[in-house]
Amino acid sequence: MFSRAPLLALLLLIVPACDTGNAQPVPSTPAAADQAASVARVVFIGQAESCDCTRKRIDDGIAALTAAIGGRDIPVERIQADKPEHREQVEMLREMRAFMVAPGIFFFDASDELVGMTQGETTAEELALILGEAPTP
């Protein structure tokens, strides 16, 4: 058998950085509605090197996340899928929930259990739902 690490690295190289349509958020886990109020940390996966449309999605994603978190004390760890020093952490997160389009946003509770995840284009309202907030009108 062979190691999955080279295969994952190859996938990072061949997956197009630019998608031609709107990426849809991956629904949060079924338990997320019950645990949403207990989101204790967020991991935001971006890319250091990207095309203009991917860079816009990443920048819009961090802005939406910042708006959704508001004044709450929820730490956000930002990692880059294309940085060697983040490779192991990105692979671990992909094993929890596959994602193909940047940004990937992972929500964890105080027990470090995954309670929600989105990828690609997202809005502050969608992220607020995962965080346990009602969307703003």
Side-chain angles (χ1 to χ4, degrees):
M1 211 56 162
F2 60 92
S3 170
R4 293 188 319 189
L7 179 60
L8 288 172
L10 178 62
L11 284 174
L12 280 174
L13 294 174
I14 62 173
V15 171
C18 213
D19 74 334
T20 58
N22 290 333
Q24 296 299 314
V26 174
S28 60
T29 59
D34 296 332
Q35 297 176 354
S38 65
V39 170
R41 74 179 182 100
V42 177
V43 178
F44 185 97
I45 303 174
Q47 290 175 220
E49 303 292 326
S50 62
C51 64
D52 291 342
C53 63
T54 299
R55 174 62 37 216
K56 179 173 178 2
R57 263 196 330 269
I58 292 168
D59 292 345
D60 290 351
I62 199 67
L65 180 61
T66 300
I69 289 174
R72 290 179 283 182
D73 187 23
I74 300 175
V76 177
E77 179 182 1
R78 292 186 66 174
I79 61 175
Q80 309 296 333
D82 54 350
K83 292 284 188 177
E85 61 268 23
H86 297 152
R87 183 173 296 135
E88 186 175 317
Q89 188 174 8
V90 170
E91 288 176 15
M92 181 186 70
L93 291 166
R94 281 200 167 130
E95 287 179 13
M96 290 179 170
R97 180 78 56 86
F99 71 96
M100 298 294 291
V101 179
I105 308 173
F106 289 75
F107 298 84
F108 294 90
D109 66 11
S111 299
D112 221 24
E113 294 293 321
L114 182 66
V115 295
M117 182 264 188
T118 66
Q119 66 177 330
E121 290 181 14
T122 190
T123 65
E125 291 79 15
E126 291 168 329
L127 299 176
L129 287 173
I130 296 172
L131 291 166
E133 295 286 315
T136 55

